[in-house]
């Protein structure tokens, strides 16, 4: 196993008391200059100095923070805040770590409080920025989705005269310019930019938008239950669903090498389904009325798989790992793999089928 070179606590004794021992860090670090920045479950945004090998920057917000920090073109960070362990609202915050922590907040954008499953509001996923995916004339945008069921798109380098209370419920911060907002359903996923396209997945479905400085236009929507963050690849969308499948959405007859935004007329998602479907029950026992996606009944959605393999070659391995809560779905996947000549078996552990 790898050697541990250093260990650093991402909480204090006081944090342990305030959070009742709930100090889990669920995010990934982001590098900016000679620092790694970490959003911790203890309510801190820490800066780890790669030169001195020590934590020398600490912004305390107090809330649980599950999303990863996102680096912007102007050497700032956008972090997301869950509405937990704080008196104010959760939301998204832009910070400038070149400043002292107490002076680092550039703006704050609160989301609406809402009870969903075990959450009380705020943002669970990360923010997304279009800094590297935009056309030269497009504004610098950030997008994020909250437990309140709303997709927000803001101009992250533009501050308005509007002021709002921060996570502590008393400190006042400027707000960024709101470009648009759309109801997409409660979400713990992260939206994804590609050129002037924006993809958002939620517990109620996945939706493709066209984005401009004037607003957000819905292009296509597919109902279903999603927690994972989708991604674009060669003009198609890949996303894992709560029904146990990985889906490829788009025109499966075409393989393209350019980004999805260069194909404005391409149908990435099938037409919206308005018929009621089966109810999906989340892990916390909250039932969401949403049709279950089934590949055999939706021919425009295909499971991703490698081409039918020939005999395995030395040094080459093919591994497909899936997890299902429903045994029938696991058996269906096994049958499909066997039909393609892939050796497959099912292991049951803690009620899950692997």
């Amino acid at each position: 196993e790898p050697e541990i070179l250093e260990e650093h606590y991402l909480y204090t004794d006081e944090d342990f008391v305030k959070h009742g021992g709930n100090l889990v860090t669920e995010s990934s670090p982001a590098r900016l200059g000679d620092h790694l920045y970490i959003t911790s479950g203890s309510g801190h945004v820490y800066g780890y100095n790669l030169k001195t090998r020590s934590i020398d920057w600490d912004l305390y917000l107090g809330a649980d923070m599950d999303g990863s920090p996102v680096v912007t073109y102007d050497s700032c960070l956008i972090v997301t805040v869950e509405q937990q362990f704080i008196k104010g609202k959760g939301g998204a915050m832009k910070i400038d770590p070149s400043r002292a922590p107490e002076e680092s907040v550039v703006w704050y954008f609160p989301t609406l409080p809402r009870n969903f499953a075990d959450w009380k509001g705020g943002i669970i996923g990360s923010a997304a920025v279009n800094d590297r995916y935009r056309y030269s004339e497009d504004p610098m945008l950030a997008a994020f989705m909250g437990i309140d069921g709303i997709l927000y798109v803001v101009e992250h380098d533009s501050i308005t005269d509007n002021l709002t209370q921060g996570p502590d419920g008393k400190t006042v911060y400027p707000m960024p310019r709101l470009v648009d907002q759309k109801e997409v359903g409660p979400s713990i996923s992260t939206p994804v930019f590609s050129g002037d396209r924006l993809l958002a997945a939620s517990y109620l479905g996945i939706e493709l938008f066209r984005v401009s400085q004037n607003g957000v236009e819905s292009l296509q929507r597919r109902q279903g239950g999603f927690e994972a963050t989708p991604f674009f690849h060669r003009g198609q969308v890949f996303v894992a669903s709560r029904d146990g499948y990985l889906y490829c959405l788009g025109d499966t007859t075409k393989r393209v090498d350019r980004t999805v935004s260069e194909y404005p007329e391409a149908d990435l998602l099938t037409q919206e389904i308005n018929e009621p479907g089966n109810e999906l029950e989340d892990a916390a026992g909250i039932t969401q009325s949403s049709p279950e996606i089934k590949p055999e009944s939706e021919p425009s959605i295909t499971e991703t798989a490698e081409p039918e393999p020939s005999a395995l070659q030395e040094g080459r391995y093919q591994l497909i790992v899936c997890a299902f809560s429903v045994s029938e779905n696991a058996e269906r996947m096994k049958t499909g793999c066997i039909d393609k000549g892939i050796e497959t078996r099912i292991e049951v552990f803690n009620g899950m089928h692997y």
Side-chain angles (χ1 to χ4, degrees):
E1 61 183 40
E3 178 185 359
I4 297 176
L5 300 178
E6 301 173 29
E7 291 183 330
H8 299 272
Y9 284 107
L10 297 179
Y11 64 90
T12 65
D13 292 341
E14 187 178 358
D15 298 331
F16 188 89
V17 175
K18 289 181 178 179
H19 286 216
N22 183 4
L23 303 171
V24 178
T25 295
E26 301 178 70
S27 65
S28 299
R31 180 172 181 173
L32 176 57
D34 56 7
H35 278 74
L36 295 177
Y37 291 94
I38 307 107
T39 48
S40 70
S42 61
H44 299 257
V45 181
Y46 287 112
Y48 172 81
N49 192 315
L50 292 168
K51 293 182 178 179
T52 64
R53 293 186 176 276
S54 63
I55 293 176
D56 62 4
W57 199 89
D58 179 4
L59 172 63
Y60 179 70
L61 299 177
D64 186 11
M65 289 182 284
D66 301 314
S68 301
V70 175
V71 178
T72 60
Y73 81 96
D74 50 356
S75 298
C76 291
L77 302 170
I78 297 179
V79 300
T80 53
V81 180
E82 182 183 346
Q83 188 167 321
Q84 186 180 18
F85 308 120
I86 55 175
K87 295 182 179 179
K89 298 176 181 178
M93 174 179 284
K94 185 174 184 178
I95 58 179
D96 182 355
S98 68
R99 305 176 185 175
E102 62 274 11
E103 300 174 351
S104 64
V105 178
V106 179
W107 53 253
Y108 187 60
F109 192 98
T111 59
L112 300 175
R114 178 179 179 180
N115 293 330
F116 180 76
D118 292 332
W119 297 294
K120 306 299 180 183
I123 302 174
I124 309 301
S126 305
V129 295
N130 73 339
D131 296 10
R132 293 182 179 273
Y133 303 98
R134 50 185 280 280
Y135 299 114
S136 59
E137 67 276 8
D138 293 338
M140 300 291 186
L141 301 178
F144 38 87
M145 297 180 289
I147 294 299
D148 61 2
I150 300 175
L151 167 69
Y152 299 94
V153 178
V154 303
E155 195 168 342
H156 71 74
D157 61 353
S158 176
I159 299 176
T160 68
D161 294 330
N162 297 328
L163 300 176
T164 187
Q165 292 180 337
D168 63 2
K170 56 182 180 181
T171 307
V172 176
Y173 300 111
M175 295 184 67
R177 186 180 82 85
L178 176 65
V179 175
D180 209 344
Q181 62 183 54
K182 296 290 184 181
E183 293 188 12
V184 295
S187 177
I188 62 174
S189 175
T190 298
V192 179
F193 279 107
S194 180
D196 61 352
R197 296 293 191 267
L198 178 61
L199 192 64
S202 75
Y203 282 101
L204 300 185
I206 184 169
E207 192 162 0
L208 180 68
F209 298 92
R210 178 186 289 117
V211 182
S212 70
Q213 60 183 352
N214 299 319
V216 176
E217 175 191 1
S218 178
L219 299 178
Q220 295 169 346
R221 178 178 176 83
R222 159 68 80 181
Q223 291 185 330
F226 302 95
E227 292 180 339
T229 296
F231 73 94
F232 291 117
H233 179 64
R234 296 186 177 182
Q236 296 175 332
V237 172
F238 294 81
V239 63
S241 171
R242 296 182 68 243
D243 64 7
Y245 283 94
L246 172 66
Y247 291 103
C248 172
L249 302 145
D251 187 345
T252 58
T253 65
K254 296 180 180 179
R255 298 291 178 180
V256 296
D257 295 323
R258 289 173 285 179
T259 63
V260 63
S261 61
E262 297 180 75
Y263 290 84
E265 305 304 325
D267 290 333
L268 290 182
L269 310 181
T270 58
Q271 64 182 3
E272 181 176 355
I273 297 176
N274 295 315
E275 296 297 326
N278 297 329
E279 291 184 336
L280 296 176
E281 185 174 3
D282 65 26
I286 303 297
T287 300
Q288 299 300 315
S289 180
S290 178
E292 184 178 3
I293 300 177
K294 293 296 182 183
E296 60 269 25
S297 62
E298 303 293 342
S300 57
I301 296 181
T302 60
E303 295 178 58
T304 59
E306 294 291 329
E308 187 169 340
S310 57
L312 292 179
Q313 303 173 7
E314 182 178 356
R316 181 187 179 197
Y317 303 90
Q318 297 170 321
L319 179 64
I320 300 174
V321 181
C322 302
F324 302 91
S325 59
V326 180
S327 61
E328 289 81 1
N329 288 339
E331 291 291 345
R332 187 180 297 113
M333 174 62 79
K334 178 181 177 181
T335 300
C337 290
I338 292 175
D339 290 344
K340 289 177 169 47
I342 303 173
E343 182 180 350
T344 307
R345 74 170 185 265
I346 297 175
E347 299 288 343
V348 181
F349 180 74
N350 285 344
M352 294 294 293
H353 299 74
Y354 298 91

